[in-house]
PDB file of all heavy atoms in Angstrom:
ATOM      1  N   GLU A   1      -0.001   5.550  13.154  1.00  0.00           N
ATOM      2  CA  GLU A   1      -1.141   6.135  12.452  1.00  0.00           C
ATOM      3  C   GLU A   1      -1.324   5.373  11.148  1.00  0.00           C
ATOM      4  O   GLU A   1      -0.350   5.064  10.457  1.00  0.00           O
ATOM      5  CB  GLU A   1      -0.900   7.616  12.178  1.00  0.00           C
ATOM      6  CG  GLU A   1      -0.840   8.472  13.430  1.00  0.00           C
ATOM      7  CD  GLU A   1      -2.135   8.423  14.226  1.00  0.00           C
ATOM      8  OE1 GLU A   1      -3.228   8.476  13.615  1.00  0.00           O
ATOM      9  OE2 GLU A   1      -2.058   8.320  15.462  1.00  0.00           O
ATOM     10  N   LEU A   2      -2.547   5.068  10.786  1.00  0.00           N
ATOM     11  CA  LEU A   2      -2.844   4.272   9.603  1.00  0.00           C
ATOM     12  C   LEU A   2      -2.219   4.865   8.344  1.00  0.00           C
ATOM     13  O   LEU A   2      -1.728   4.138   7.481  1.00  0.00           O
ATOM     14  CB  LEU A   2      -4.355   4.127   9.427  1.00  0.00           C
ATOM     15  CG  LEU A   2      -4.812   3.301   8.239  1.00  0.00           C
ATOM     16  CD1 LEU A   2      -4.277   1.876   8.340  1.00  0.00           C
ATOM     17  CD2 LEU A   2      -6.310   3.296   8.146  1.00  0.00           C
ATOM     18  N   GLU A   3      -2.217   6.181   8.201  1.00  0.00           N
ATOM     19  CA  GLU A   3      -1.696   6.823   6.998  1.00  0.00           C
ATOM     20  C   GLU A   3      -0.222   6.479   6.750  1.00  0.00           C
ATOM     21  O   GLU A   3       0.250   6.525   5.629  1.00  0.00           O
ATOM     22  CB  GLU A   3      -1.873   8.337   7.077  1.00  0.00           C
ATOM     23  CG  GLU A   3      -3.313   8.782   6.926  1.00  0.00           C
ATOM     24  CD  GLU A   3      -4.168   8.557   8.178  1.00  0.00           C
ATOM     25  OE1 GLU A   3      -3.618   8.388   9.290  1.00  0.00           O
ATOM     26  OE2 GLU A   3      -5.399   8.532   8.040  1.00  0.00           O
ATOM     27  N   GLN A   4       0.524   6.136   7.797  1.00  0.00           N
ATOM     28  CA  GLN A   4       1.919   5.754   7.624  1.00  0.00           C
ATOM     29  C   GLN A   4       2.072   4.465   6.822  1.00  0.00           C
ATOM     30  O   GLN A   4       3.098   4.220   6.232  1.00  0.00           O
ATOM     31  CB  GLN A   4       2.607   5.577   8.979  1.00  0.00           C
ATOM     32  CG  GLN A   4       2.867   6.875   9.702  1.00  0.00           C
ATOM     33  CD  GLN A   4       3.589   6.623  11.002  1.00  0.00           C
ATOM     34  OE1 GLN A   4       3.140   5.834  11.835  1.00  0.00           O
ATOM     35  NE2 GLN A   4       4.713   7.277  11.173  1.00  0.00           N
ATOM     36  N   LEU A   5       1.048   3.627   6.816  1.00  0.00           N
ATOM     37  CA  LEU A   5       1.126   2.344   6.129  1.00  0.00           C
ATOM     38  C   LEU A   5       0.736   2.419   4.659  1.00  0.00           C
ATOM     39  O   LEU A   5       0.973   1.486   3.914  1.00  0.00           O
ATOM     40  CB  LEU A   5       0.211   1.322   6.814  1.00  0.00           C
ATOM     41  CG  LEU A   5       0.629   0.878   8.207  1.00  0.00           C
ATOM     42  CD1 LEU A   5      -0.390  -0.108   8.756  1.00  0.00           C
ATOM     43  CD2 LEU A   5       2.003   0.258   8.189  1.00  0.00           C
ATOM     44  N   ALA A   6       0.129   3.503   4.216  1.00  0.00           N
ATOM     45  CA  ALA A   6      -0.423   3.571   2.860  1.00  0.00           C
ATOM     46  C   ALA A   6       0.553   3.119   1.772  1.00  0.00           C
ATOM     47  O   ALA A   6       0.206   2.278   0.952  1.00  0.00           O
ATOM     48  CB  ALA A   6      -0.963   4.971   2.567  1.00  0.00           C
ATOM     49  N   PRO A   7       1.787   3.618   1.695  1.00  0.00           N
ATOM     50  CA  PRO A   7       2.686   3.142   0.640  1.00  0.00           C
ATOM     51  C   PRO A   7       3.026   1.660   0.786  1.00  0.00           C
ATOM     52  O   PRO A   7       3.181   0.949  -0.198  1.00  0.00           O
ATOM     53  CB  PRO A   7       3.937   4.001   0.805  1.00  0.00           C
ATOM     54  CG  PRO A   7       3.510   5.167   1.611  1.00  0.00           C
ATOM     55  CD  PRO A   7       2.367   4.703   2.460  1.00  0.00           C
ATOM     56  N   GLU A   8       3.124   1.182   2.007  1.00  0.00           N
ATOM     57  CA  GLU A   8       3.437  -0.217   2.263  1.00  0.00           C
ATOM     58  C   GLU A   8       2.344  -1.146   1.741  1.00  0.00           C
ATOM     59  O   GLU A   8       2.613  -2.225   1.251  1.00  0.00           O
ATOM     60  CB  GLU A   8       3.629  -0.459   3.767  1.00  0.00           C
ATOM     61  CG  GLU A   8       4.868   0.173   4.323  1.00  0.00           C
ATOM     62  CD  GLU A   8       6.114  -0.441   3.735  1.00  0.00           C
ATOM     63  OE1 GLU A   8       6.268  -1.670   3.759  1.00  0.00           O
ATOM     64  OE2 GLU A   8       6.944   0.332   3.235  1.00  0.00           O
ATOM     65  N   ILE A   9       1.113  -0.706   1.859  1.00  0.00           N
ATOM     66  CA  ILE A   9      -0.019  -1.525   1.447  1.00  0.00           C
ATOM     67  C   ILE A   9       0.112  -1.937  -0.015  1.00  0.00           C
ATOM     68  O   ILE A   9      -0.046  -3.099  -0.367  1.00  0.00           O
ATOM     69  CB  ILE A   9      -1.339  -0.773   1.710  1.00  0.00           C
ATOM     70  CG1 ILE A   9      -1.590  -0.707   3.219  1.00  0.00           C
ATOM     71  CG2 ILE A   9      -2.493  -1.420   0.973  1.00  0.00           C
ATOM     72  CD1 ILE A   9      -2.664   0.258   3.628  1.00  0.00           C
ATOM     73  N   PHE A  10       0.435  -0.994  -0.871  1.00  0.00           N
ATOM     74  CA  PHE A  10       0.520  -1.297  -2.295  1.00  0.00           C
ATOM     75  C   PHE A  10       1.753  -2.127  -2.635  1.00  0.00           C
ATOM     76  O   PHE A  10       1.747  -2.900  -3.568  1.00  0.00           O
ATOM     77  CB  PHE A  10       0.471  -0.002  -3.109  1.00  0.00           C
ATOM     78  CG  PHE A  10      -0.848   0.679  -2.981  1.00  0.00           C
ATOM     79  CD1 PHE A  10      -0.972   1.841  -2.262  1.00  0.00           C
ATOM     80  CD2 PHE A  10      -1.999   0.116  -3.543  1.00  0.00           C
ATOM     81  CE1 PHE A  10      -2.203   2.456  -2.118  1.00  0.00           C
ATOM     82  CE2 PHE A  10      -3.229   0.724  -3.403  1.00  0.00           C
ATOM     83  CZ  PHE A  10      -3.330   1.902  -2.685  1.00  0.00           C
ATOM     84  N   ARG A  11       2.806  -2.002  -1.854  1.00  0.00           N
ATOM     85  CA  ARG A  11       4.005  -2.807  -2.063  1.00  0.00           C
ATOM     86  C   ARG A  11       3.747  -4.264  -1.669  1.00  0.00           C
ATOM     87  O   ARG A  11       4.195  -5.198  -2.329  1.00  0.00           O
ATOM     88  CB  ARG A  11       5.166  -2.250  -1.234  1.00  0.00           C
ATOM     89  CG  ARG A  11       6.443  -3.088  -1.336  1.00  0.00           C
ATOM     90  CD  ARG A  11       7.540  -2.600  -0.398  1.00  0.00           C
ATOM     91  NE  ARG A  11       7.203  -2.737   1.006  1.00  0.00           N
ATOM     92  CZ  ARG A  11       7.288  -3.879   1.694  1.00  0.00           C
ATOM     93  NH1 ARG A  11       7.657  -4.992   1.109  1.00  0.00           N
ATOM     94  NH2 ARG A  11       6.982  -3.900   2.976  1.00  0.00           N
ATOM     95  N   VAL A  12       2.992  -4.459  -0.622  1.00  0.00           N
ATOM     96  CA  VAL A  12       2.834  -5.778  -0.025  1.00  0.00           C
ATOM     97  C   VAL A  12       1.808  -6.658  -0.739  1.00  0.00           C
ATOM     98  O   VAL A  12       2.089  -7.814  -1.050  1.00  0.00           O
ATOM     99  CB  VAL A  12       2.464  -5.626   1.466  1.00  0.00           C
ATOM    100  CG1 VAL A  12       1.980  -6.931   2.052  1.00  0.00           C
ATOM    101  CG2 VAL A  12       3.656  -5.109   2.241  1.00  0.00           C
ATOM    102  N   PHE A  13       0.619  -6.141  -0.984  1.00  0.00           N
ATOM    103  CA  PHE A  13      -0.424  -6.999  -1.536  1.00  0.00           C
ATOM    104  C   PHE A  13      -0.035  -7.495  -2.915  1.00  0.00           C
ATOM    105  O   PHE A  13       0.411  -6.752  -3.763  1.00  0.00           O
ATOM    106  CB  PHE A  13      -1.777  -6.302  -1.549  1.00  0.00           C
ATOM    107  CG  PHE A  13      -2.346  -6.176  -0.166  1.00  0.00           C
ATOM    108  CD1 PHE A  13      -2.535  -4.940   0.410  1.00  0.00           C
ATOM    109  CD2 PHE A  13      -2.665  -7.301   0.570  1.00  0.00           C
ATOM    110  CE1 PHE A  13      -3.033  -4.832   1.696  1.00  0.00           C
ATOM    111  CE2 PHE A  13      -3.161  -7.204   1.845  1.00  0.00           C
ATOM    112  CZ  PHE A  13      -3.352  -5.954   2.412  1.00  0.00           C
ATOM    113  N   GLY A  14      -0.197  -8.786  -3.110  1.00  0.00           N
ATOM    114  CA  GLY A  14       0.224  -9.430  -4.344  1.00  0.00           C
ATOM    115  C   GLY A  14       1.595 -10.072  -4.221  1.00  0.00           C
ATOM    116  O   GLY A  14       1.960 -10.912  -5.023  1.00  0.00           O
ATOM    117  N   ARG A  15       2.362  -9.667  -3.214  1.00  0.00           N
ATOM    118  CA  ARG A  15       3.697 -10.238  -2.992  1.00  0.00           C
ATOM    119  C   ARG A  15       3.781 -11.027  -1.684  1.00  0.00           C
ATOM    120  O   ARG A  15       4.478 -12.017  -1.602  1.00  0.00           O
ATOM    121  CB  ARG A  15       4.738  -9.119  -2.978  1.00  0.00           C
ATOM    122  CG  ARG A  15       4.895  -8.441  -4.312  1.00  0.00           C
ATOM    123  CD  ARG A  15       6.094  -7.492  -4.290  1.00  0.00           C
ATOM    124  NE  ARG A  15       6.147  -6.752  -5.533  1.00  0.00           N
ATOM    125  CZ  ARG A  15       5.831  -5.476  -5.651  1.00  0.00           C
ATOM    126  NH1 ARG A  15       5.457  -4.787  -4.600  1.00  0.00           N
ATOM    127  NH2 ARG A  15       5.906  -4.874  -6.813  1.00  0.00           N
ATOM    128  N   GLN A  16       3.119 -10.509  -0.663  1.00  0.00           N
ATOM    129  CA  GLN A  16       3.131 -11.144   0.655  1.00  0.00           C
ATOM    130  C   GLN A  16       1.681 -11.298   1.099  1.00  0.00           C
ATOM    131  O   GLN A  16       1.118 -10.397   1.687  1.00  0.00           O
ATOM    132  CB  GLN A  16       3.875 -10.257   1.664  1.00  0.00           C
ATOM    133  CG  GLN A  16       5.346 -10.068   1.382  1.00  0.00           C
ATOM    134  CD  GLN A  16       5.900  -8.913   2.197  1.00  0.00           C
ATOM    135  OE1 GLN A  16       6.243  -7.893   1.629  1.00  0.00           O
ATOM    136  NE2 GLN A  16       5.987  -9.056   3.500  1.00  0.00           N
ATOM    137  N   ASN A  17       1.101 -12.442   0.805  1.00  0.00           N
ATOM    138  CA  ASN A  17      -0.293 -12.637   1.194  1.00  0.00           C
ATOM    139  C   ASN A  17      -0.421 -12.579   2.712  1.00  0.00           C
ATOM    140  O   ASN A  17       0.312 -13.248   3.429  1.00  0.00           O
ATOM    141  CB  ASN A  17      -0.824 -13.960   0.667  1.00  0.00           C
ATOM    142  CG  ASN A  17      -1.018 -13.931  -0.825  1.00  0.00           C
ATOM    143  OD1 ASN A  17      -1.082 -12.869  -1.428  1.00  0.00           O
ATOM    144  ND2 ASN A  17      -1.110 -15.096  -1.422  1.00  0.00           N
ATOM    145  N   PRO A  18      -1.367 -11.765   3.203  1.00  0.00           N
ATOM    146  CA  PRO A  18      -1.503 -11.609   4.651  1.00  0.00           C
ATOM    147  C   PRO A  18      -2.256 -12.767   5.299  1.00  0.00           C
ATOM    148  O   PRO A  18      -2.885 -13.584   4.631  1.00  0.00           O
ATOM    149  CB  PRO A  18      -2.300 -10.306   4.779  1.00  0.00           C
ATOM    150  CG  PRO A  18      -3.009 -10.145   3.493  1.00  0.00           C
ATOM    151  CD  PRO A  18      -2.213 -10.855   2.446  1.00  0.00           C
ATOM    152  N   LEU A  19      -2.192 -12.782   6.622  1.00  0.00           N
ATOM    153  CA  LEU A  19      -2.958 -13.720   7.423  1.00  0.00           C
ATOM    154  C   LEU A  19      -4.178 -12.994   7.976  1.00  0.00           C
ATOM    155  O   LEU A  19      -4.050 -11.937   8.602  1.00  0.00           O
ATOM    156  CB  LEU A  19      -2.128 -14.266   8.583  1.00  0.00           C
ATOM    157  CG  LEU A  19      -0.905 -15.092   8.215  1.00  0.00           C
ATOM    158  CD1 LEU A  19      -0.150 -15.516   9.476  1.00  0.00           C
ATOM    159  CD2 LEU A  19      -1.290 -16.301   7.385  1.00  0.00           C
ATOM    160  N   LEU A  20      -5.349 -13.544   7.714  1.00  0.00           N
ATOM    161  CA  LEU A  20      -6.594 -13.061   8.296  1.00  0.00           C
ATOM    162  C   LEU A  20      -6.832 -13.886   9.552  1.00  0.00           C
ATOM    163  O   LEU A  20      -6.789 -15.124   9.501  1.00  0.00           O
ATOM    164  CB  LEU A  20      -7.749 -13.254   7.316  1.00  0.00           C
ATOM    165  CG  LEU A  20      -9.155 -13.052   7.874  1.00  0.00           C
ATOM    166  CD1 LEU A  20      -9.375 -11.611   8.312  1.00  0.00           C
ATOM    167  CD2 LEU A  20     -10.194 -13.486   6.854  1.00  0.00           C
ATOM    168  N   THR A  21      -7.080 -13.207  10.669  1.00  0.00           N
ATOM    169  CA  THR A  21      -7.262 -13.906  11.931  1.00  0.00           C
ATOM    170  C   THR A  21      -8.504 -13.374  12.627  1.00  0.00           C
ATOM    171  O   THR A  21      -8.749 -12.167  12.634  1.00  0.00           O
ATOM    172  CB  THR A  21      -6.033 -13.707  12.843  1.00  0.00           C
ATOM    173  OG1 THR A  21      -4.853 -14.037  12.101  1.00  0.00           O
ATOM    174  CG2 THR A  21      -6.110 -14.579  14.079  1.00  0.00           C
ATOM    175  N   ALA A  22      -9.272 -14.284  13.191  1.00  0.00           N
ATOM    176  CA  ALA A  22     -10.458 -13.904  13.969  1.00  0.00           C
ATOM    177  C   ALA A  22     -10.533 -14.806  15.185  1.00  0.00           C
ATOM    178  O   ALA A  22     -10.041 -15.932  15.176  1.00  0.00           O
ATOM    179  CB  ALA A  22     -11.724 -14.025  13.122  1.00  0.00           C
ATOM    180  N   GLY A  23     -11.153 -14.290  16.211  1.00  0.00           N
ATOM    181  CA  GLY A  23     -11.284 -15.022  17.464  1.00  0.00           C
ATOM    182  C   GLY A  23     -10.995 -14.097  18.625  1.00  0.00           C
ATOM    183  O   GLY A  23     -11.110 -12.880  18.522  1.00  0.00           O
ATOM    184  N   ASP A  24     -10.564 -14.705  19.732  1.00  0.00           N
ATOM    185  CA  ASP A  24     -10.227 -13.944  20.931  1.00  0.00           C
ATOM    186  C   ASP A  24      -9.307 -14.807  21.790  1.00  0.00           C
ATOM    187  O   ASP A  24      -8.748 -15.797  21.303  1.00  0.00           O
ATOM    188  CB  ASP A  24     -11.488 -13.511  21.688  1.00  0.00           C
ATOM    189  CG  ASP A  24     -12.393 -14.671  22.066  1.00  0.00           C
ATOM    190  OD1 ASP A  24     -11.902 -15.811  22.234  1.00  0.00           O
ATOM    191  OD2 ASP A  24     -13.608 -14.448  22.191  1.00  0.00           O
ATOM    192  N   ARG A  25      -9.173 -14.452  23.062  1.00  0.00           N
ATOM    193  CA  ARG A  25      -8.263 -15.178  23.962  1.00  0.00           C
ATOM    194  C   ARG A  25      -8.723 -16.611  24.216  1.00  0.00           C
ATOM    195  O   ARG A  25      -7.938 -17.444  24.655  1.00  0.00           O
ATOM    196  CB  ARG A  25      -8.114 -14.427  25.278  1.00  0.00           C
ATOM    197  CG  ARG A  25      -7.413 -13.102  25.104  1.00  0.00           C
ATOM    198  CD  ARG A  25      -7.391 -12.284  26.388  1.00  0.00           C
ATOM    199  NE  ARG A  25      -6.995 -10.917  26.130  1.00  0.00           N
ATOM    200  CZ  ARG A  25      -5.739 -10.481  26.130  1.00  0.00           C
ATOM    201  NH1 ARG A  25      -4.756 -11.316  26.389  1.00  0.00           N
ATOM    202  NH2 ARG A  25      -5.471  -9.219  25.887  1.00  0.00           N
ATOM    203  N   ASN A  26      -9.983 -16.913  23.934  1.00  0.00           N
ATOM    204  CA  ASN A  26     -10.512 -18.261  24.153  1.00  0.00           C
ATOM    205  C   ASN A  26     -10.351 -19.182  22.960  1.00  0.00           C
ATOM    206  O   ASN A  26     -10.552 -20.382  23.074  1.00  0.00           O
ATOM    207  CB  ASN A  26     -11.988 -18.180  24.542  1.00  0.00           C
ATOM    208  CG  ASN A  26     -12.174 -17.467  25.863  1.00  0.00           C
ATOM    209  OD1 ASN A  26     -11.440 -17.705  26.808  1.00  0.00           O
ATOM    210  ND2 ASN A  26     -13.142 -16.570  25.907  1.00  0.00           N
ATOM    211  N   GLY A  27     -10.028 -18.639  21.811  1.00  0.00           N
ATOM    212  CA  GLY A  27      -9.863 -19.445  20.611  1.00  0.00           C
ATOM    213  C   GLY A  27      -9.793 -18.559  19.386  1.00  0.00           C
ATOM    214  O   GLY A  27     -10.401 -17.488  19.342  1.00  0.00           O
ATOM    215  N   LEU A  28      -9.029 -19.015  18.394  1.00  0.00           N
ATOM    216  CA  LEU A  28      -8.856 -18.225  17.187  1.00  0.00           C
ATOM    217  C   LEU A  28      -8.513 -19.138  16.031  1.00  0.00           C
ATOM    218  O   LEU A  28      -8.178 -20.305  16.217  1.00  0.00           O
ATOM    219  CB  LEU A  28      -7.752 -17.174  17.376  1.00  0.00           C
ATOM    220  CG  LEU A  28      -6.332 -17.695  17.643  1.00  0.00           C
ATOM    221  CD1 LEU A  28      -5.533 -17.820  16.357  1.00  0.00           C
ATOM    222  CD2 LEU A  28      -5.613 -16.757  18.590  1.00  0.00           C
ATOM    223  N   ASN A  29      -8.603 -18.590  14.848  1.00  0.00           N
ATOM    224  CA  ASN A  29      -8.084 -19.267  13.667  1.00  0.00           C
ATOM    225  C   ASN A  29      -7.525 -18.219  12.731  1.00  0.00           C
ATOM    226  O   ASN A  29      -7.951 -17.071  12.725  1.00  0.00           O
ATOM    227  CB  ASN A  29      -9.139 -20.109  12.961  1.00  0.00           C
ATOM    228  CG  ASN A  29      -8.487 -21.079  11.986  1.00  0.00           C
ATOM    229  OD1 ASN A  29      -7.667 -21.904  12.388  1.00  0.00           O
ATOM    230  ND2 ASN A  29      -8.811 -20.973  10.723  1.00  0.00           N
ATOM    231  N   THR A  30      -6.542 -18.646  11.969  1.00  0.00           N
ATOM    232  CA  THR A  30      -5.920 -17.776  10.980  1.00  0.00           C
ATOM    233  C   THR A  30      -5.884 -18.496   9.653  1.00  0.00           C
ATOM    234  O   THR A  30      -5.845 -19.730   9.609  1.00  0.00           O
ATOM    235  CB  THR A  30      -4.509 -17.334  11.431  1.00  0.00           C
ATOM    236  OG1 THR A  30      -4.054 -16.291  10.574  1.00  0.00           O
ATOM    237  CG2 THR A  30      -3.516 -18.492  11.408  1.00  0.00           C
ATOM    238  N   MET A  31      -5.917 -17.725   8.579  1.00  0.00           N
ATOM    239  CA  MET A  31      -5.822 -18.284   7.236  1.00  0.00           C
ATOM    240  C   MET A  31      -5.127 -17.271   6.335  1.00  0.00           C
ATOM    241  O   MET A  31      -5.197 -16.064   6.569  1.00  0.00           O
ATOM    242  CB  MET A  31      -7.199 -18.634   6.680  1.00  0.00           C
ATOM    243  CG  MET A  31      -8.111 -17.446   6.478  1.00  0.00           C
ATOM    244  SD  MET A  31      -9.740 -17.880   5.824  1.00  0.00           S
ATOM    245  CE  MET A  31      -9.447 -17.700   4.083  1.00  0.00           C
ATOM    246  N   THR A  32      -4.454 -17.759   5.332  1.00  0.00           N
ATOM    247  CA  THR A  32      -3.837 -16.897   4.345  1.00  0.00           C
ATOM    248  C   THR A  32      -4.912 -16.422   3.379  1.00  0.00           C
ATOM    249  O   THR A  32      -5.771 -17.195   2.969  1.00  0.00           O
ATOM    250  CB  THR A  32      -2.743 -17.671   3.579  1.00  0.00           C
ATOM    251  OG1 THR A  32      -1.793 -18.158   4.540  1.00  0.00           O
ATOM    252  CG2 THR A  32      -2.038 -16.788   2.565  1.00  0.00           C
ATOM    253  N   ILE A  33      -4.855 -15.138   3.046  1.00  0.00           N
ATOM    254  CA  ILE A  33      -5.828 -14.589   2.100  1.00  0.00           C
ATOM    255  C   ILE A  33      -5.110 -13.965   0.902  1.00  0.00           C
ATOM    256  O   ILE A  33      -4.012 -13.435   1.028  1.00  0.00           O
ATOM    257  CB  ILE A  33      -6.769 -13.548   2.749  1.00  0.00           C
ATOM    258  CG1 ILE A  33      -5.985 -12.397   3.400  1.00  0.00           C
ATOM    259  CG2 ILE A  33      -7.689 -14.220   3.748  1.00  0.00           C
ATOM    260  CD1 ILE A  33      -6.849 -11.254   3.886  1.00  0.00           C
ATOM    261  N   GLY A  34      -5.746 -14.072  -0.235  1.00  0.00           N
ATOM    262  CA  GLY A  34      -5.235 -13.447  -1.441  1.00  0.00           C
ATOM    263  C   GLY A  34      -6.055 -12.237  -1.833  1.00  0.00           C
ATOM    264  O   GLY A  34      -5.631 -11.421  -2.637  1.00  0.00           O
ATOM    265  N   TRP A  35      -7.241 -12.131  -1.285  1.00  0.00           N
ATOM    266  CA  TRP A  35      -8.136 -11.018  -1.589  1.00  0.00           C
ATOM    267  C   TRP A  35      -8.237 -10.117  -0.368  1.00  0.00           C
ATOM    268  O   TRP A  35      -8.611 -10.560   0.722  1.00  0.00           O
ATOM    269  CB  TRP A  35      -9.533 -11.506  -1.898  1.00  0.00           C
ATOM    270  CG  TRP A  35      -9.682 -12.359  -3.118  1.00  0.00           C
ATOM    271  CD1 TRP A  35      -8.693 -12.803  -3.945  1.00  0.00           C
ATOM    272  CD2 TRP A  35     -10.900 -12.875  -3.626  1.00  0.00           C
ATOM    273  NE1 TRP A  35      -9.236 -13.573  -4.947  1.00  0.00           N
ATOM    274  CE2 TRP A  35     -10.591 -13.627  -4.776  1.00  0.00           C
ATOM    275  CE3 TRP A  35     -12.221 -12.781  -3.230  1.00  0.00           C
ATOM    276  CZ2 TRP A  35     -11.561 -14.274  -5.523  1.00  0.00           C
ATOM    277  CZ3 TRP A  35     -13.190 -13.424  -3.970  1.00  0.00           C
ATOM    278  CH2 TRP A  35     -12.859 -14.151  -5.112  1.00  0.00           C
ATOM    279  N   CYS A  36      -7.918  -8.861  -0.546  1.00  0.00           N
ATOM    280  CA  CYS A  36      -8.019  -7.878   0.525  1.00  0.00           C
ATOM    281  C   CYS A  36      -8.055  -6.505  -0.119  1.00  0.00           C
ATOM    282  O   CYS A  36      -7.331  -6.255  -1.088  1.00  0.00           O
ATOM    283  CB  CYS A  36      -6.824  -8.004   1.467  1.00  0.00           C
ATOM    284  SG  CYS A  36      -6.927  -6.943   2.916  1.00  0.00           S
ATOM    285  N   GLN A  37      -8.900  -5.640   0.395  1.00  0.00           N
ATOM    286  CA  GLN A  37      -8.988  -4.277  -0.114  1.00  0.00           C
ATOM    287  C   GLN A  37      -8.900  -3.302   1.048  1.00  0.00           C
ATOM    288  O   GLN A  37      -9.441  -3.562   2.122  1.00  0.00           O
ATOM    289  CB  GLN A  37     -10.310  -4.058  -0.851  1.00  0.00           C
ATOM    290  CG  GLN A  37     -10.474  -4.956  -2.053  1.00  0.00           C
ATOM    291  CD  GLN A  37     -11.864  -4.857  -2.652  1.00  0.00           C
ATOM    292  OE1 GLN A  37     -12.839  -4.576  -1.964  1.00  0.00           O
ATOM    293  NE2 GLN A  37     -11.958  -5.093  -3.948  1.00  0.00           N
TER     294      GLN A  37
END
């Protein structure tokens, strides 16, 4: 459930930049992001 992640979200952002990924089974790309809300 999404609510289980709420405390983790504030711990992680700013320390572990996430990977943003888009695409599907036919092709995708990922990039590191510093901005996320």
Side-chain angles (χ1 to χ4, degrees):
E1 294 299 318
L2 181 60
E3 288 76 19
Q4 288 182 306
L5 292 179
E8 291 295 308
I9 289 167
F10 294 108
R11 177 186 65 80
V12 167
F13 288 115
R15 294 189 186 107
Q16 295 165 249
N17 289 342
L19 296 178
L20 168 65
T21 309
D24 56 27
R25 294 174 193 271
N26 296 317
L28 63 94
N29 196 59
T30 191
M31 64 180 268
T32 302
I33 56 172
W35 296 4
C36 186
Q37 299 172 331

